Amino acid sequence: KLEKKIGRSKETIIARAAIYFNLKDYEKAKYYFRLAAKKSYNTTILSCLLKLHSKLDTIEETEQYFQEAQSELSEDPVFWQLWGYVLLELKKNADASEKFLNAKYYKFPDKKLNFEFLLKALNNSDQDDKVIEIAEESISNGYKDITILECYVAALIAKEKFRVAYDLFNSNDIDWSGSARLNAFYAICVNVLFQDNEKAIFFNEKACRLDPDNIQIRWNLALVQLRSGRIKEGIENYKVRFQWEKFPSPRRTFEVPKWSEDIDKSSKILIWTEQGLADDLLFCTSLRDFKKDFPNLIFEHHNKTGDLMALAFPDIVCREAIFSPDLTPIYFDYDYHVPLGDIYLRMLSKN
């Protein structure tokens, strides 16, 4: 009716789109928002399109809108901040950090919010030096909330600046007691700087209580527990290592089942190395104990330990761990598989 009175305009098209959005007819709402955008883009239309695609669970489609709108809105800080949100949601963290930096350059009005999202994107893309630079700027501007501190300390830990992090924790104007990540980072600091395993366990356990689903925290707790002789607890927490997305080991896939204690003892079992050289050398000390119960073994080891493993285990088939780029095997001469770390945990549990 309004369009009959005043004619169709960008504003009436947006109004029509909003009506369909409220009626949950998202495809029609999308059509009219896109129609309005063809007349000209603004950050209101982009915000509406983001909400719409969030409802449709098609947020990846929104990148094209920002590419189309860039020539019109390239000096609008809200435009860059919104684009950063999209890329962060899509886990394109390095690209997101560039957009948030542009928003910062063009003076996005909510500085604290911009700092938080910029630091998240930088932190997620492991740009540790830039995180430290931006976090220190943020703190100097009076922004010391938990998100900013978590990103800052994570970067300090990654750059092995443990003393700087430790001194930050002990400054009087920061209450980090309710942050799982900061408790876990403090545990790392006291463990590295003072080799205080008991204190590290205390703060890691507190971090786990604050965020029981955080796999990295549980893994860090496991390492300290194992070092301090708390074997049973350490074993249980170490088992979650492959659930941590940054765990430094290939996540190999197999067509055969994973080994378990109740399989036929004569089955041929592939034991495959995980992580790096040091773990290979430590964990392989469990092979002889395992072979007493399961004698038919193949051990795929680190590529630098071939001669050593052949000498150490002449009664075990030893070969370099080689697999396809998609992490599927190139050998199929076994009935079951198991990562080497599980064998080591088994030995610890038995003894």
Side-chain angles (χ1 to χ4, degrees):
K1 292 180 180 179
L2 180 64
E3 286 179 336
K4 288 181 179 179
K5 290 181 179 179
I6 65 172
R8 174 170 285 195
S9 66
K10 180 179 175 181
E11 287 68 28
T12 63
I13 295 172
I14 292 173
R16 185 182 289 271
I19 290 169
Y20 283 118
F21 183 87
N22 290 330
L23 292 171
K24 299 184 179 181
D25 190 340
Y26 298 126
E27 289 299 333
K28 283 187 178 178
K30 176 182 173 182
Y31 170 80
Y32 284 106
F33 279 130
R34 289 289 284 138
L35 194 62
K38 287 179 181 178
K39 292 184 175 292
S40 65
Y41 271 102
N42 59 39
T43 54
T44 300
I45 290 176
L46 287 171
S47 296
C48 291
L49 284 166
L50 289 181
K51 290 179 182 178
L52 188 150
H53 280 278
S54 179
K55 294 289 187 181
L56 292 170
D57 197 24
T58 54
I59 198 71
E60 69 281 355
E61 294 181 13
T62 61
E63 280 195 85
Q64 63 173 319
Y65 307 144
F66 290 92
Q67 291 163 359
E68 294 168 0
Q70 185 170 351
S71 60
E72 291 180 71
L73 302 175
S74 62
E75 296 185 6
D76 187 329
V78 176
F79 164 76
W80 293 111
Q81 188 80 4
L82 290 173
W83 198 349
Y85 294 153
V86 169
L87 294 168
L88 195 64
E89 179 72 18
L90 296 175
K91 298 187 177 181
K92 296 181 179 181
N93 295 299
D95 292 338
S97 68
E98 292 179 8
K99 310 312 178 196
F100 291 130
L101 278 169
N102 284 343
K104 179 175 181 289
Y105 176 79
Y106 287 110
K107 303 187 185 305
F108 184 72
D110 190 335
K111 288 185 178 181
K112 179 174 174 289
L113 187 67
N114 176 251
F115 274 127
E116 288 179 358
F117 279 93
L118 172 55
L119 285 169
K120 281 182 183 179
L122 291 168
N123 196 222
N124 290 345
S125 53
D126 299 321
Q127 299 183 62
D128 298 314
D129 290 324
K130 194 67 176 177
V131 169
I132 292 170
E133 175 192 334
I134 297 295
E136 289 177 349
E137 179 187 349
S138 172
I139 291 169
S140 70
N141 279 276
Y143 305 123
K144 298 181 181 179
D145 77 348
I146 291 299
T147 299
I148 289 169
L149 292 173
E150 286 177 346
C151 293
Y152 182 34
V153 176
L156 291 173
I157 297 289
K159 301 299 290 186
E160 300 186 0
K161 296 185 177 184
F162 302 107
R163 174 58 69 175
V164 177
Y166 180 76
D167 290 343
L168 180 69
F169 282 120
N170 287 285
S171 62
N172 294 324
D173 58 341
I174 299 171
D175 179 11
W176 48 271
S177 60
S179 165
R181 291 183 71 198
L182 290 175
N183 275 275
F185 291 145
Y186 185 72
I188 292 172
C189 288
V190 297
N191 192 246
V192 171
L193 293 172
F194 311 113
Q195 294 76 52
D196 191 336
N197 285 335
E198 290 307 309
K199 201 168 187 179
I201 287 173
F202 174 84
F203 282 96
N204 265 320
E205 287 178 339
K206 182 180 177 184
C208 282
R209 290 194 297 273
L210 289 167
D211 187 0
D213 296 326
N214 190 311
I215 301 301
Q216 183 180 2
I217 291 174
R218 284 188 63 191
W219 186 59
N220 286 336
L221 172 60
L223 297 179
V224 183
Q225 287 172 327
L226 292 171
R227 280 197 295 268
S228 62
R230 299 190 183 186
I231 303 302
K232 184 176 180 180
E233 300 98 318
I235 287 171
E236 289 307 310
N237 286 315
Y238 196 84
K239 288 177 181 178
V240 304
R241 63 199 184 280
F242 283 104
Q243 296 177 40
W244 177 32
E245 62 181 21
K246 291 188 177 181
F247 181 64
S249 176
R251 288 163 173 73
R252 297 182 60 180
T253 57
F254 296 88
E255 295 181 3
V256 300
K258 187 179 177 183
W259 163 85
S260 64
E261 290 284 357
D262 57 357
I263 67 168
D264 185 337
K265 303 295 184 184
S266 64
S267 300
K268 186 175 285 189
I269 302 165
L270 171 68
I271 302 170
W272 49 277
T273 189
E274 52 181 286
Q275 299 188 72
L277 180 60
D279 291 299
D280 212 30
L281 295 174
L282 173 62
F283 292 169
C284 76
T285 57
S286 61
L287 288 178
R288 293 196 183 284
D289 179 78
F290 188 67
K291 193 175 187 303
K292 292 176 185 177
D293 297 321
F294 299 93
N296 199 3
L297 303 179
I298 299 170
F299 175 38
E300 291 193 349
H301 51 71
H302 193 279
N303 61 1
K304 294 183 179 179
T305 61
D307 293 340
L308 177 62
M309 295 303 175
L311 288 170
F313 306 108
D315 54 347
I316 295 176
V317 176
C318 296
R319 65 191 182 206
E320 183 180 342
I322 301 174
F323 41 85
S324 301
D326 63 356
L327 303 181
T328 55
I330 61 173
Y331 300 111
F332 301 90
D333 51 348
Y334 43 84
D335 304 307
Y336 297 91
H337 78 93
V338 62
L340 179 59
D342 283 15
I343 303 306
Y344 184 68
L345 294 179
R346 176 182 185 268
M347 182 187 74
L348 293 180
S349 180
K350 286 178 61 180
N351 295 284

mmCIF file with all atom_site columns, all heavy atoms in Angstrom, residues 162-163 166 186-201 224 227-228:
data_model
loop_
_atom_site.group_PDB
_atom_site.id
_atom_site.type_symbol
_atom_site.label_atom_id
_atom_site.label_alt_id
_atom_site.label_comp_id
_atom_site.label_asym_id
_atom_site.label_entity_id
_atom_site.label_seq_id
_atom_site.pdbx_PDB_ins_code
_atom_site.Cartn_x
_atom_site.Cartn_y
_atom_site.Cartn_z
_atom_site.occupancy
_atom_site.B_iso_or_equiv
_atom_site.pdbx_formal_charge
_atom_site.auth_seq_id
_atom_site.auth_comp_id
_atom_site.auth_asym_id
_atom_site.auth_atom_id
_atom_site.pdbx_PDB_model_num
ATOM 1   N N   . PHE A 1 162 ? 57.807 -15.877 29.463 1.00 0.00 ? 162 PHE A N   1
ATOM 2   C CA  . PHE A 1 162 ? 57.123 -16.348 30.656 1.00 0.00 ? 162 PHE A CA  1
ATOM 3   C C   . PHE A 1 162 ? 57.230 -15.348 31.811 1.00 0.00 ? 162 PHE A C   1
ATOM 4   O O   . PHE A 1 162 ? 56.282 -15.178 32.577 1.00 0.00 ? 162 PHE A O   1
ATOM 5   C CB  . PHE A 1 162 ? 57.688 -17.705 31.083 1.00 0.00 ? 162 PHE A CB  1
ATOM 6   C CG  . PHE A 1 162 ? 57.591 -18.760 30.017 1.00 0.00 ? 162 PHE A CG  1
ATOM 7   C CD1 . PHE A 1 162 ? 58.716 -19.187 29.326 1.00 0.00 ? 162 PHE A CD1 1
ATOM 8   C CD2 . PHE A 1 162 ? 56.362 -19.317 29.689 1.00 0.00 ? 162 PHE A CD2 1
ATOM 9   C CE1 . PHE A 1 162 ? 58.625 -20.158 28.346 1.00 0.00 ? 162 PHE A CE1 1
ATOM 10  C CE2 . PHE A 1 162 ? 56.254 -20.290 28.717 1.00 0.00 ? 162 PHE A CE2 1
ATOM 11  C CZ  . PHE A 1 162 ? 57.395 -20.703 28.034 1.00 0.00 ? 162 PHE A CZ  1
ATOM 12  N N   . ARG A 1 163 ? 58.372 -14.701 31.939 1.00 0.00 ? 163 ARG A N   1
ATOM 13  C CA  . ARG A 1 163 ? 58.539 -13.752 33.041 1.00 0.00 ? 163 ARG A CA  1
ATOM 14  C C   . ARG A 1 163 ? 57.617 -12.548 32.874 1.00 0.00 ? 163 ARG A C   1
ATOM 15  O O   . ARG A 1 163 ? 57.028 -12.070 33.848 1.00 0.00 ? 163 ARG A O   1
ATOM 16  C CB  . ARG A 1 163 ? 59.993 -13.308 33.119 1.00 0.00 ? 163 ARG A CB  1
ATOM 17  C CG  . ARG A 1 163 ? 60.269 -12.213 34.135 1.00 0.00 ? 163 ARG A CG  1
ATOM 18  C CD  . ARG A 1 163 ? 59.874 -12.604 35.552 1.00 0.00 ? 163 ARG A CD  1
ATOM 19  N NE  . ARG A 1 163 ? 60.708 -13.637 36.100 1.00 0.00 ? 163 ARG A NE  1
ATOM 20  C CZ  . ARG A 1 163 ? 60.635 -14.084 37.350 1.00 0.00 ? 163 ARG A CZ  1
ATOM 21  N NH1 . ARG A 1 163 ? 59.722 -13.566 38.170 1.00 0.00 ? 163 ARG A NH1 1
ATOM 22  N NH2 . ARG A 1 163 ? 61.418 -15.044 37.783 1.00 0.00 ? 163 ARG A NH2 1
ATOM 23  N N   . TYR A 1 166 ? 54.229 -13.745 33.818 1.00 0.00 ? 166 TYR A N   1
ATOM 24  C CA  . TYR A 1 166 ? 54.151 -13.958 35.271 1.00 0.00 ? 166 TYR A CA  1
ATOM 25  C C   . TYR A 1 166 ? 54.020 -12.637 36.023 1.00 0.00 ? 166 TYR A C   1
ATOM 26  O O   . TYR A 1 166 ? 53.206 -12.512 36.948 1.00 0.00 ? 166 TYR A O   1
ATOM 27  C CB  . TYR A 1 166 ? 55.398 -14.710 35.737 1.00 0.00 ? 166 TYR A CB  1
ATOM 28  C CG  . TYR A 1 166 ? 55.429 -14.987 37.218 1.00 0.00 ? 166 TYR A CG  1
ATOM 29  C CD1 . TYR A 1 166 ? 54.650 -16.005 37.773 1.00 0.00 ? 166 TYR A CD1 1
ATOM 30  C CD2 . TYR A 1 166 ? 56.238 -14.238 38.069 1.00 0.00 ? 166 TYR A CD2 1
ATOM 31  C CE1 . TYR A 1 166 ? 54.673 -16.255 39.140 1.00 0.00 ? 166 TYR A CE1 1
ATOM 32  C CE2 . TYR A 1 166 ? 56.266 -14.477 39.432 1.00 0.00 ? 166 TYR A CE2 1
ATOM 33  C CZ  . TYR A 1 166 ? 55.484 -15.487 39.957 1.00 0.00 ? 166 TYR A CZ  1
ATOM 34  O OH  . TYR A 1 166 ? 55.497 -15.739 41.307 1.00 0.00 ? 166 TYR A OH  1
ATOM 35  N N   . TYR A 1 186 ? 48.851 -19.336 33.801 1.00 0.00 ? 186 TYR A N   1
ATOM 36  C CA  . TYR A 1 186 ? 49.631 -19.128 35.018 1.00 0.00 ? 186 TYR A CA  1
ATOM 37  C C   . TYR A 1 186 ? 50.305 -20.432 35.439 1.00 0.00 ? 186 TYR A C   1
ATOM 38  O O   . TYR A 1 186 ? 51.466 -20.431 35.882 1.00 0.00 ? 186 TYR A O   1
ATOM 39  C CB  . TYR A 1 186 ? 48.731 -18.615 36.135 1.00 0.00 ? 186 TYR A CB  1
ATOM 40  C CG  . TYR A 1 186 ? 49.489 -18.259 37.396 1.00 0.00 ? 186 TYR A CG  1
ATOM 41  C CD1 . TYR A 1 186 ? 50.296 -17.126 37.454 1.00 0.00 ? 186 TYR A CD1 1
ATOM 42  C CD2 . TYR A 1 186 ? 49.398 -19.062 38.532 1.00 0.00 ? 186 TYR A CD2 1
ATOM 43  C CE1 . TYR A 1 186 ? 50.986 -16.795 38.609 1.00 0.00 ? 186 TYR A CE1 1
ATOM 44  C CE2 . TYR A 1 186 ? 50.098 -18.743 39.694 1.00 0.00 ? 186 TYR A CE2 1
ATOM 45  C CZ  . TYR A 1 186 ? 50.890 -17.613 39.719 1.00 0.00 ? 186 TYR A CZ  1
ATOM 46  O OH  . TYR A 1 186 ? 51.584 -17.295 40.859 1.00 0.00 ? 186 TYR A OH  1
ATOM 47  N N   . ALA A 1 187 ? 49.608 -21.532 35.290 1.00 0.00 ? 187 ALA A N   1
ATOM 48  C CA  . ALA A 1 187 ? 50.191 -22.847 35.604 1.00 0.00 ? 187 ALA A CA  1
ATOM 49  C C   . ALA A 1 187 ? 51.435 -23.106 34.761 1.00 0.00 ? 187 ALA A C   1
ATOM 50  O O   . ALA A 1 187 ? 52.442 -23.619 35.261 1.00 0.00 ? 187 ALA A O   1
ATOM 51  C CB  . ALA A 1 187 ? 49.151 -23.943 35.371 1.00 0.00 ? 187 ALA A CB  1
ATOM 52  N N   . ILE A 1 188 ? 51.375 -22.740 33.481 1.00 0.00 ? 188 ILE A N   1
ATOM 53  C CA  . ILE A 1 188 ? 52.544 -22.914 32.611 1.00 0.00 ? 188 ILE A CA  1
ATOM 54  C C   . ILE A 1 188 ? 53.701 -22.053 33.104 1.00 0.00 ? 188 ILE A C   1
ATOM 55  O O   . ILE A 1 188 ? 54.854 -22.508 33.169 1.00 0.00 ? 188 ILE A O   1
ATOM 56  C CB  . ILE A 1 188 ? 52.179 -22.556 31.157 1.00 0.00 ? 188 ILE A CB  1
ATOM 57  C CG1 . ILE A 1 188 ? 51.195 -23.576 30.587 1.00 0.00 ? 188 ILE A CG1 1
ATOM 58  C CG2 . ILE A 1 188 ? 53.441 -22.498 30.287 1.00 0.00 ? 188 ILE A CG2 1
ATOM 59  C CD1 . ILE A 1 188 ? 50.632 -23.196 29.221 1.00 0.00 ? 188 ILE A CD1 1
ATOM 60  N N   . CYS A 1 189 ? 53.410 -20.812 33.476 1.00 0.00 ? 189 CYS A N   1
ATOM 61  C CA  . CYS A 1 189 ? 54.463 -19.895 33.939 1.00 0.00 ? 189 CYS A CA  1
ATOM 62  C C   . CYS A 1 189 ? 55.175 -20.434 35.176 1.00 0.00 ? 189 CYS A C   1
ATOM 63  O O   . CYS A 1 189 ? 56.412 -20.456 35.224 1.00 0.00 ? 189 CYS A O   1
ATOM 64  C CB  . CYS A 1 189 ? 53.873 -18.523 34.238 1.00 0.00 ? 189 CYS A CB  1
ATOM 65  S SG  . CYS A 1 189 ? 53.389 -17.588 32.773 1.00 0.00 ? 189 CYS A SG  1
ATOM 66  N N   . VAL A 1 190 ? 54.408 -20.857 36.186 1.00 0.00 ? 190 VAL A N   1
ATOM 67  C CA  . VAL A 1 190 ? 55.054 -21.312 37.420 1.00 0.00 ? 190 VAL A CA  1
ATOM 68  C C   . VAL A 1 190 ? 55.795 -22.623 37.195 1.00 0.00 ? 190 VAL A C   1
ATOM 69  O O   . VAL A 1 190 ? 56.810 -22.899 37.859 1.00 0.00 ? 190 VAL A O   1
ATOM 70  C CB  . VAL A 1 190 ? 54.038 -21.444 38.579 1.00 0.00 ? 190 VAL A CB  1
ATOM 71  C CG1 . VAL A 1 190 ? 53.430 -20.100 38.916 1.00 0.00 ? 190 VAL A CG1 1
ATOM 72  C CG2 . VAL A 1 190 ? 52.948 -22.462 38.266 1.00 0.00 ? 190 VAL A CG2 1
ATOM 73  N N   . ASN A 1 191 ? 55.313 -23.407 36.244 1.00 0.00 ? 191 ASN A N   1
ATOM 74  C CA  . ASN A 1 191 ? 55.992 -24.667 35.951 1.00 0.00 ? 191 ASN A CA  1
ATOM 75  C C   . ASN A 1 191 ? 57.309 -24.423 35.223 1.00 0.00 ? 191 ASN A C   1
ATOM 76  O O   . ASN A 1 191 ? 58.335 -25.031 35.553 1.00 0.00 ? 191 ASN A O   1
ATOM 77  C CB  . ASN A 1 191 ? 55.085 -25.566 35.124 1.00 0.00 ? 191 ASN A CB  1
ATOM 78  C CG  . ASN A 1 191 ? 55.603 -26.988 35.025 1.00 0.00 ? 191 ASN A CG  1
ATOM 79  O OD1 . ASN A 1 191 ? 55.961 -27.448 33.955 1.00 0.00 ? 191 ASN A OD1 1
ATOM 80  N ND2 . ASN A 1 191 ? 55.657 -27.685 36.145 1.00 0.00 ? 191 ASN A ND2 1
ATOM 81  N N   . VAL A 1 192 ? 57.297 -23.512 34.255 1.00 0.00 ? 192 VAL A N   1
ATOM 82  C CA  . VAL A 1 192 ? 58.511 -23.230 33.487 1.00 0.00 ? 192 VAL A CA  1
ATOM 83  C C   . VAL A 1 192 ? 59.524 -22.438 34.309 1.00 0.00 ? 192 VAL A C   1
ATOM 84  O O   . VAL A 1 192 ? 60.717 -22.759 34.327 1.00 0.00 ? 192 VAL A O   1
ATOM 85  C CB  . VAL A 1 192 ? 58.157 -22.461 32.197 1.00 0.00 ? 192 VAL A CB  1
ATOM 86  C CG1 . VAL A 1 192 ? 59.425 -21.971 31.501 1.00 0.00 ? 192 VAL A CG1 1
ATOM 87  C CG2 . VAL A 1 192 ? 57.350 -23.338 31.250 1.00 0.00 ? 192 VAL A CG2 1
ATOM 88  N N   . LEU A 1 193 ? 59.058 -21.404 35.006 1.00 0.00 ? 193 LEU A N   1
ATOM 89  C CA  . LEU A 1 193 ? 59.978 -20.519 35.722 1.00 0.00 ? 193 LEU A CA  1
ATOM 90  C C   . LEU A 1 193 ? 60.513 -21.125 37.010 1.00 0.00 ? 193 LEU A C   1
ATOM 91  O O   . LEU A 1 193 ? 61.675 -20.909 37.363 1.00 0.00 ? 193 LEU A O   1
ATOM 92  C CB  . LEU A 1 193 ? 59.276 -19.194 36.038 1.00 0.00 ? 193 LEU A CB  1
ATOM 93  C CG  . LEU A 1 193 ? 58.928 -18.307 34.835 1.00 0.00 ? 193 LEU A CG  1
ATOM 94  C CD1 . LEU A 1 193 ? 58.068 -17.130 35.286 1.00 0.00 ? 193 LEU A CD1 1
ATOM 95  C CD2 . LEU A 1 193 ? 60.177 -17.812 34.130 1.00 0.00 ? 193 LEU A CD2 1
ATOM 96  N N   . PHE A 1 194 ? 59.669 -21.901 37.701 1.00 0.00 ? 194 PHE A N   1
ATOM 97  C CA  . PHE A 1 194 ? 60.059 -22.375 39.036 1.00 0.00 ? 194 PHE A CA  1
ATOM 98  C C   . PHE A 1 194 ? 59.993 -23.894 39.185 1.00 0.00 ? 194 PHE A C   1
ATOM 99  O O   . PHE A 1 194 ? 60.256 -24.408 40.265 1.00 0.00 ? 194 PHE A O   1
ATOM 100 C CB  . PHE A 1 194 ? 59.152 -21.719 40.092 1.00 0.00 ? 194 PHE A CB  1
ATOM 101 C CG  . PHE A 1 194 ? 59.035 -20.231 39.943 1.00 0.00 ? 194 PHE A CG  1
ATOM 102 C CD1 . PHE A 1 194 ? 57.832 -19.647 39.581 1.00 0.00 ? 194 PHE A CD1 1
ATOM 103 C CD2 . PHE A 1 194 ? 60.137 -19.410 40.132 1.00 0.00 ? 194 PHE A CD2 1
ATOM 104 C CE1 . PHE A 1 194 ? 57.715 -18.268 39.429 1.00 0.00 ? 194 PHE A CE1 1
ATOM 105 C CE2 . PHE A 1 194 ? 60.033 -18.034 39.987 1.00 0.00 ? 194 PHE A CE2 1
ATOM 106 C CZ  . PHE A 1 194 ? 58.826 -17.462 39.623 1.00 0.00 ? 194 PHE A CZ  1
ATOM 107 N N   . GLN A 1 195 ? 59.632 -24.604 38.109 1.00 0.00 ? 195 GLN A N   1
ATOM 108 C CA  . GLN A 1 195 ? 59.485 -26.062 38.147 1.00 0.00 ? 195 GLN A CA  1
ATOM 109 C C   . GLN A 1 195 ? 58.589 -26.508 39.307 1.00 0.00 ? 195 GLN A C   1
ATOM 110 O O   . GLN A 1 195 ? 58.819 -27.536 39.949 1.00 0.00 ? 195 GLN A O   1
ATOM 111 C CB  . GLN A 1 195 ? 60.857 -26.759 38.253 1.00 0.00 ? 195 GLN A CB  1
ATOM 112 C CG  . GLN A 1 195 ? 61.744 -26.584 37.036 1.00 0.00 ? 195 GLN A CG  1
ATOM 113 C CD  . GLN A 1 195 ? 62.375 -25.194 36.964 1.00 0.00 ? 195 GLN A CD  1
ATOM 114 O OE1 . GLN A 1 195 ? 62.983 -24.751 37.940 1.00 0.00 ? 195 GLN A OE1 1
ATOM 115 N NE2 . GLN A 1 195 ? 62.241 -24.521 35.839 1.00 0.00 ? 195 GLN A NE2 1
ATOM 116 N N   . ASP A 1 196 ? 57.558 -25.717 39.562 1.00 0.00 ? 196 ASP A N   1
ATOM 117 C CA  . ASP A 1 196 ? 56.641 -25.995 40.669 1.00 0.00 ? 196 ASP A CA  1
ATOM 118 C C   . ASP A 1 196 ? 55.451 -26.808 40.140 1.00 0.00 ? 196 ASP A C   1
ATOM 119 O O   . ASP A 1 196 ? 54.401 -26.267 39.769 1.00 0.00 ? 196 ASP A O   1
ATOM 120 C CB  . ASP A 1 196 ? 56.169 -24.673 41.287 1.00 0.00 ? 196 ASP A CB  1
ATOM 121 C CG  . ASP A 1 196 ? 55.430 -24.873 42.602 1.00 0.00 ? 196 ASP A CG  1
ATOM 122 O OD1 . ASP A 1 196 ? 54.890 -25.979 42.818 1.00 0.00 ? 196 ASP A OD1 1
ATOM 123 O OD2 . ASP A 1 196 ? 55.375 -23.920 43.410 1.00 0.00 ? 196 ASP A OD2 1
ATOM 124 N N   . ASN A 1 197 ? 55.629 -28.121 40.113 1.00 0.00 ? 197 ASN A N   1
ATOM 125 C CA  . ASN A 1 197 ? 54.586 -28.986 39.563 1.00 0.00 ? 197 ASN A CA  1
ATOM 126 C C   . ASN A 1 197 ? 53.297 -28.931 40.374 1.00 0.00 ? 197 ASN A C   1
ATOM 127 O O   . ASN A 1 197 ? 52.194 -28.941 39.804 1.00 0.00 ? 197 ASN A O   1
ATOM 128 C CB  . ASN A 1 197 ? 55.080 -30.437 39.510 1.00 0.00 ? 197 ASN A CB  1
ATOM 129 C CG  . ASN A 1 197 ? 56.067 -30.672 38.386 1.00 0.00 ? 197 ASN A CG  1
ATOM 130 O OD1 . ASN A 1 197 ? 56.060 -29.949 37.388 1.00 0.00 ? 197 ASN A OD1 1
ATOM 131 N ND2 . ASN A 1 197 ? 56.930 -31.665 38.536 1.00 0.00 ? 197 ASN A ND2 1
ATOM 132 N N   . GLU A 1 198 ? 53.408 -28.896 41.698 1.00 0.00 ? 198 GLU A N   1
ATOM 133 C CA  . GLU A 1 198 ? 52.212 -28.912 42.534 1.00 0.00 ? 198 GLU A CA  1
ATOM 134 C C   . GLU A 1 198 ? 51.363 -27.660 42.316 1.00 0.00 ? 198 GLU A C   1
ATOM 135 O O   . GLU A 1 198 ? 50.140 -27.731 42.221 1.00 0.00 ? 198 GLU A O   1
ATOM 136 C CB  . GLU A 1 198 ? 52.602 -29.045 44.005 1.00 0.00 ? 198 GLU A CB  1
ATOM 137 C CG  . GLU A 1 198 ? 53.157 -30.419 44.366 1.00 0.00 ? 198 GLU A CG  1
ATOM 138 C CD  . GLU A 1 198 ? 52.236 -31.558 43.944 1.00 0.00 ? 198 GLU A CD  1
ATOM 139 O OE1 . GLU A 1 198 ? 51.043 -31.491 44.279 1.00 0.00 ? 198 GLU A OE1 1
ATOM 140 O OE2 . GLU A 1 198 ? 52.712 -32.496 43.293 1.00 0.00 ? 198 GLU A OE2 1
ATOM 141 N N   . LYS A 1 199 ? 52.026 -26.510 42.228 1.00 0.00 ? 199 LYS A N   1
ATOM 142 C CA  . LYS A 1 199 ? 51.289 -25.276 41.980 1.00 0.00 ? 199 LYS A CA  1
ATOM 143 C C   . LYS A 1 199 ? 50.692 -25.292 40.580 1.00 0.00 ? 199 LYS A C   1
ATOM 144 O O   . LYS A 1 199 ? 49.561 -24.831 40.360 1.00 0.00 ? 199 LYS A O   1
ATOM 145 C CB  . LYS A 1 199 ? 52.212 -24.071 42.151 1.00 0.00 ? 199 LYS A CB  1
ATOM 146 C CG  . LYS A 1 199 ? 51.478 -22.765 42.424 1.00 0.00 ? 199 LYS A CG  1
ATOM 147 C CD  . LYS A 1 199 ? 52.463 -21.676 42.866 1.00 0.00 ? 199 LYS A CD  1
ATOM 148 C CE  . LYS A 1 199 ? 51.724 -20.429 43.312 1.00 0.00 ? 199 LYS A CE  1
ATOM 149 N NZ  . LYS A 1 199 ? 52.676 -19.372 43.777 1.00 0.00 ? 199 LYS A NZ  1
ATOM 150 N N   . ALA A 1 200 ? 51.447 -25.831 39.624 1.00 0.00 ? 200 ALA A N   1
ATOM 151 C CA  . ALA A 1 200 ? 50.935 -25.918 38.252 1.00 0.00 ? 200 ALA A CA  1
ATOM 152 C C   . ALA A 1 200 ? 49.714 -26.826 38.193 1.00 0.00 ? 200 ALA A C   1
ATOM 153 O O   . ALA A 1 200 ? 48.730 -26.521 37.496 1.00 0.00 ? 200 ALA A O   1
ATOM 154 C CB  . ALA A 1 200 ? 52.030 -26.429 37.324 1.00 0.00 ? 200 ALA A CB  1
ATOM 155 N N   . ILE A 1 201 ? 49.746 -27.927 38.922 1.00 0.00 ? 201 ILE A N   1
ATOM 156 C CA  . ILE A 1 201 ? 48.597 -28.829 38.959 1.00 0.00 ? 201 ILE A CA  1
ATOM 157 C C   . ILE A 1 201 ? 47.390 -28.123 39.579 1.00 0.00 ? 201 ILE A C   1
ATOM 158 O O   . ILE A 1 201 ? 46.268 -28.214 39.069 1.00 0.00 ? 201 ILE A O   1
ATOM 159 C CB  . ILE A 1 201 ? 48.938 -30.113 39.744 1.00 0.00 ? 201 ILE A CB  1
ATOM 160 C CG1 . ILE A 1 201 ? 49.876 -30.996 38.913 1.00 0.00 ? 201 ILE A CG1 1
ATOM 161 C CG2 . ILE A 1 201 ? 47.667 -30.887 40.102 1.00 0.00 ? 201 ILE A CG2 1
ATOM 162 C CD1 . ILE A 1 201 ? 50.397 -32.201 39.663 1.00 0.00 ? 201 ILE A CD1 1
ATOM 163 N N   . VAL A 1 224 ? 51.684 -32.236 33.275 1.00 0.00 ? 224 VAL A N   1
ATOM 164 C CA  . VAL A 1 224 ? 52.221 -31.916 34.598 1.00 0.00 ? 224 VAL A CA  1
ATOM 165 C C   . VAL A 1 224 ? 51.968 -33.069 35.566 1.00 0.00 ? 224 VAL A C   1
ATOM 166 O O   . VAL A 1 224 ? 52.828 -33.427 36.386 1.00 0.00 ? 224 VAL A O   1
ATOM 167 C CB  . VAL A 1 224 ? 51.602 -30.610 35.143 1.00 0.00 ? 224 VAL A CB  1
ATOM 168 C CG1 . VAL A 1 224 ? 52.225 -30.251 36.489 1.00 0.00 ? 224 VAL A CG1 1
ATOM 169 C CG2 . VAL A 1 224 ? 51.815 -29.470 34.168 1.00 0.00 ? 224 VAL A CG2 1
ATOM 170 N N   . ARG A 1 227 ? 54.487 -35.787 34.861 1.00 0.00 ? 227 ARG A N   1
ATOM 171 C CA  . ARG A 1 227 ? 55.825 -35.413 35.322 1.00 0.00 ? 227 ARG A CA  1
ATOM 172 C C   . ARG A 1 227 ? 55.955 -35.492 36.839 1.00 0.00 ? 227 ARG A C   1
ATOM 173 O O   . ARG A 1 227 ? 57.032 -35.765 37.358 1.00 0.00 ? 227 ARG A O   1
ATOM 174 C CB  . ARG A 1 227 ? 56.161 -33.989 34.855 1.00 0.00 ? 227 ARG A CB  1
ATOM 175 C CG  . ARG A 1 227 ? 56.610 -33.898 33.405 1.00 0.00 ? 227 ARG A CG  1
ATOM 176 C CD  . ARG A 1 227 ? 57.304 -32.570 33.136 1.00 0.00 ? 227 ARG A CD  1
ATOM 177 N NE  . ARG A 1 227 ? 56.405 -31.441 33.268 1.00 0.00 ? 227 ARG A NE  1
ATOM 178 C CZ  . ARG A 1 227 ? 55.707 -30.907 32.274 1.00 0.00 ? 227 ARG A CZ  1
ATOM 179 N NH1 . ARG A 1 227 ? 55.809 -31.419 31.052 1.00 0.00 ? 227 ARG A NH1 1
ATOM 180 N NH2 . ARG A 1 227 ? 54.924 -29.870 32.472 1.00 0.00 ? 227 ARG A NH2 1
ATOM 181 N N   . SER A 1 228 ? 54.857 -35.251 37.537 1.00 0.00 ? 228 SER A N   1
ATOM 182 C CA  . SER A 1 228 ? 54.922 -35.223 39.000 1.00 0.00 ? 228 SER A CA  1
ATOM 183 C C   . SER A 1 228 ? 54.571 -36.572 39.617 1.00 0.00 ? 228 SER A C   1
ATOM 184 O O   . SER A 1 228 ? 54.477 -36.694 40.845 1.00 0.00 ? 228 SER A O   1
ATOM 185 C CB  . SER A 1 228 ? 53.986 -34.149 39.546 1.00 0.00 ? 228 SER A CB  1
ATOM 186 O OG  . SER A 1 228 ? 52.644 -34.428 39.203 1.00 0.00 ? 228 SER A OG  1
#
